[in-house]
């Protein structure tokens, strides 16, 4: 779990530096509805003991994507839209982090 937190902080730091110089970060928000569907599918999927590592990689990839999209939202949105988007993204990030902690730690 510590590794996941360190990864999130590193990604946020990197994304913050990149967003200051690259407005294309906002393009990540165009497919937000599709991303929510992917994250929901990842949360609902069961960890197959035969493919445990693959399931954990999927959880990690979805977690990283959610963190990156959150960073883009914090730069590209404002006001009530920003607050609602961040609440939804934080919920997704927490759910994915819980999956990683529950099924992939150790």
């Amino acid at each position: 779990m510590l590794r996941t937190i360190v990864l999130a902080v590193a990604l946020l730091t990197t994304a913050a530096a990149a967003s200051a110089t690259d407005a294309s970060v906002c393009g990540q928000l165009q497919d937000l509805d599709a991303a929510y569907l992917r994250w929901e599918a990842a949360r609902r999927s069961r960890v197959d003991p035969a493919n445990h590592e693959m399931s954990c990689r999927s959880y990690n990839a979805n977690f990283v994507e959610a963190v990156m999209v959150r960073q883009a939202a914090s730069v590209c949105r404002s006001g009530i839209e920003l607050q609602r988007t961040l609440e939804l993204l934080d919920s997704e990030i927490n759910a994915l982090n819980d999956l990683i902690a529950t099924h992939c730690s150790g």
Side-chain angles (χ1 to χ4, degrees):
M1 183 149 124
L2 179 60
R3 180 176 61 182
T4 303
I5 294 170
V6 170
L7 175 63
V9 170
L11 288 172
L12 289 173
T13 304
T14 303
S19 66
T21 59
D22 188 3
S24 68
V25 168
C26 296
Q28 292 178 344
L29 297 177
Q30 292 176 352
D31 297 326
L32 194 53
D33 290 334
Y36 284 135
L37 292 175
R38 281 193 308 277
W39 300 332
E40 181 179 358
R43 286 193 323 271
R44 291 177 185 253
S45 69
R46 302 242 184 247
V47 175
D48 179 7
N51 294 316
H52 182 263
E53 189 174 325
M54 188 170 78
S55 295
C56 290
R57 275 192 234 139
S58 174
Y59 292 154
N60 283 322
N62 283 291
F63 174 83
V64 169
E65 179 187 24
V67 170
M68 298 297 284
V69 169
R70 188 191 192 287
Q71 178 61 33
S74 70
V75 172
C76 303
R77 294 203 170 161
S78 61
I80 294 172
E81 182 182 31
L82 172 62
Q83 185 62 33
R84 171 124 173 91
T85 302
L86 292 181
E87 287 172 2
L88 289 170
L89 289 168
D90 286 344
S91 175
E92 295 292 338
I93 289 167
N94 287 332
L96 290 164
N97 191 41
D98 289 344
L99 281 171
I100 293 167
T102 301
H103 298 290
C104 302
S105 296

